[in-house]
Amino acid sequence: MNYLWGGMIIIAVIYGALTGNLDAVTDQALSSAKEAVSLCITMAGAMAFWVGIMRIAEKAGMVNRAASALAPLLGFLFPTVPKDSFARRYIATNMVANFLGLGWAATPAGLSAMKELKRLEETEGRATSAMCDFLIINISSLQLIPVNIIAYRSQYGSVSPAAIVGPAILATTVSTLAAVVFIKIRQGCARWFLKE
């Protein structure tokens, strides 16, 4: 990816120099850098707010209650992961954070879940079945509040930044259902091949 971005920058500078537009390339580079810093500040504010909300929910025991409520769903999606494992708690925390649109808060829990899932099946150099299933669920992630998109829309002057909530819920519901169907088909195929 670094080579791709580096190559695009080099091509843009060479093209700008050859067409006599090097000043425009320089101006746009500086303008984009300024816009990137402004966007980072906006996103940092949104991130601090929602990660703080997540921390309060965790301290109040709401995350543990949500994890308990998710136990049947986790048993359905991850039948090979023991009920009392830390992996299930981290998966539940990740799912709750993603549901609330808190990708920043979901990432540490997701990484911890992956470490625990790897420890449960001790495989060298390859992902376990449960790790793949978790990754699929994490990527599809049903979201109630798409915080990132709302922050982007607000930063770029949208009249109604939260208007994206309805379509986002619909889109992430469809993607999550597709992920669950895929996981169950894959698990069924794996069991069938193991019997053979």
Side-chain angles (χ1 to χ4, degrees), residues 74-91:
L74 295 179
F76 174 71
L77 293 174
F78 306 100
T80 60
V81 178
K83 290 181 182 179
D84 57 346
S85 71
F86 282 112
R88 277 217 185 176
R89 185 177 191 284
Y90 290 132
I91 290 170

Side-chain angles (χ1 to χ4, degrees), residues 87-196:
R88 277 217 185 176
R89 185 177 191 284
Y90 290 132
I91 290 170
T93 303
N94 176 272
M95 289 175 78
V96 168
N98 273 329
F99 179 71
L100 296 174
L102 310 176
W104 307 288
T107 300
L111 293 173
S112 297
M114 282 297 196
K115 286 178 188 171
E116 286 297 316
L117 290 171
K118 182 174 176 56
R119 191 182 60 77
L120 286 174
E121 289 191 42
E122 285 302 332
T123 56
E124 270 311 307
R126 64 183 182 89
T128 66
S129 180
M131 289 169 76
C132 293
D133 293 344
F134 173 63
L135 184 62
I136 292 166
I137 288 293
N138 187 48
I139 290 170
S140 69
S141 82
L142 174 63
Q143 287 189 2
L144 181 65
I145 308 165
V147 176
N148 288 351
I149 303 301
I150 291 171
Y152 288 135
R153 287 170 55 89
S154 176
Q155 171 67 24
Y156 291 109
S158 172
V159 175
S160 180
I164 194 72
V165 171
I169 290 172
L170 180 62
T172 57
T173 299
V174 170
S175 68
T176 301
L177 288 174
V180 169
V181 168
F182 176 80
I183 285 170
K184 296 319 283 181
I185 289 172
R186 194 200 58 73
Q187 288 173 351
C189 289
R191 280 193 298 272
W192 185 77
F193 279 118
L194 287 174
K195 285 178 185 175
E196 295 294 312

